[in-house]
Amino acid sequence: DSTLLPRVGWLRDFIAHTMNVEAPFLWLLWAGISAVSTALQRGIYLDRGWFKIYPNHWLIFVGPSGAGKSLSSKIAVRMLRSVAGVRILSDETTPEALVASLAEDAPTLTAPATCLIHADELTVFLGKQKYKSGLTDLLTRLSDCDESFERRLRSESFNIYEPCISLLAGTTPDGLSDAIPATSFGAGFMGRVI
């Protein structure tokens, strides 16, 4: 429904550019919104007094295989790769590797640790392997975009300055229930997902 689009601007141009792509309009629209929010990082926010709301969107496209989930997200990610200062992390990570990677962004605590996690297959990203346990809890804590986040791993302590993490992922309906622990549906993780 094109009434959802602004009359002018990047998002309208993005949709016009992807008009002939075989993917649902809403997935393309939200992939474009994800690209804009990722590029903005912590550059804008809604001040709610006691806290600020940043544009870090968490999107999971859920649909059957071959419906255009990956295609929609890959188009947005391809465009984001050309934006200076935007970092895209792959879907192969552990909680420890994610923390270490984000801490690398700001060794002097002057640059925000921002990124888009692009997970073509949510089941690969969140997997049930033991080494990935705690990933949904970590992401939930990082999603609030606090001023800083500290995590101790083994013998090393990591400080993440001004995290702003976005997620763009896809999965099938069965994959959604397989990838996300049942406790996350009633807890904070799924409450943050569009």
Side-chain angles (χ1 to χ4, degrees):
D1 183 5
S2 62
T3 60
L4 298 172
L5 290 174
R7 291 187 181 150
V8 295
W10 188 89
L11 191 55
R12 180 171 274 291
D13 294 346
F14 176 80
I15 293 300
H17 175 71
T18 59
M19 196 164 50
N20 294 322
V21 171
E22 292 184 25
F25 168 79
L26 286 176
W27 286 349
L28 293 166
L29 176 65
W30 277 105
I33 291 170
S34 177
V36 170
S37 70
T38 300
L40 290 170
Q41 300 174 356
R42 290 178 72 106
I44 64 166
Y45 56 86
L46 177 61
D47 194 339
R48 304 300 293 167
W50 291 100
F51 62 94
K52 296 174 181 171
I53 299 173
Y54 293 92
N56 61 319
H57 288 92
W58 287 26
L59 304 168
I60 301 175
F61 299 146
V62 181
S65 294
K69 300 178 298 291
S70 295
L71 183 58
S72 301
S73 64
K74 284 180 179 178
I75 292 169
V77 167
R78 190 174 305 127
M79 290 183 170
L80 276 171
R81 290 194 189 282
S82 67
V83 178
V86 170
R87 197 164 131 186
I88 299 164
L89 299 180
S90 74
D91 57 3
E92 286 288 333
T93 193
T94 63
E96 292 79 11
L98 179 59
V99 167
S101 177
L102 292 171
E104 279 176 14
D105 280 357
T108 61
L109 296 182
T110 58
T114 62
C115 72
L116 170 71
I117 297 171
H118 178 231
D120 245 6
E121 289 295 335
L122 189 66
T123 53
V124 172
F125 175 60
L126 293 179
K128 295 204 177 212
Q129 299 89 341
K130 185 175 173 100
Y131 62 85
K132 290 193 176 195
S133 69
L135 191 54
T136 56
D137 293 336
L138 172 64
L139 290 169
T140 302
R141 292 200 47 215
L142 288 170
S143 73
D144 291 336
C145 298
D146 291 333
E147 294 301 313
S148 65
F149 177 84
E150 187 173 334
R151 177 88 178 245
R152 184 153 186 82
L153 301 174
R154 296 188 186 134
S155 63
E156 198 169 358
S157 183
F158 293 93
N159 287 312
I160 300 171
Y161 179 69
E162 294 187 343
C164 189
I165 315 303
S166 294
L167 172 68
L168 184 56
T171 191
T172 62
D174 288 341
L176 184 65
S177 60
D178 287 345
I180 299 175
T183 56
S184 294
F185 280 91
F189 183 81
M190 286 305 289
R192 290 163 168 80
V193 172
I194 298 173

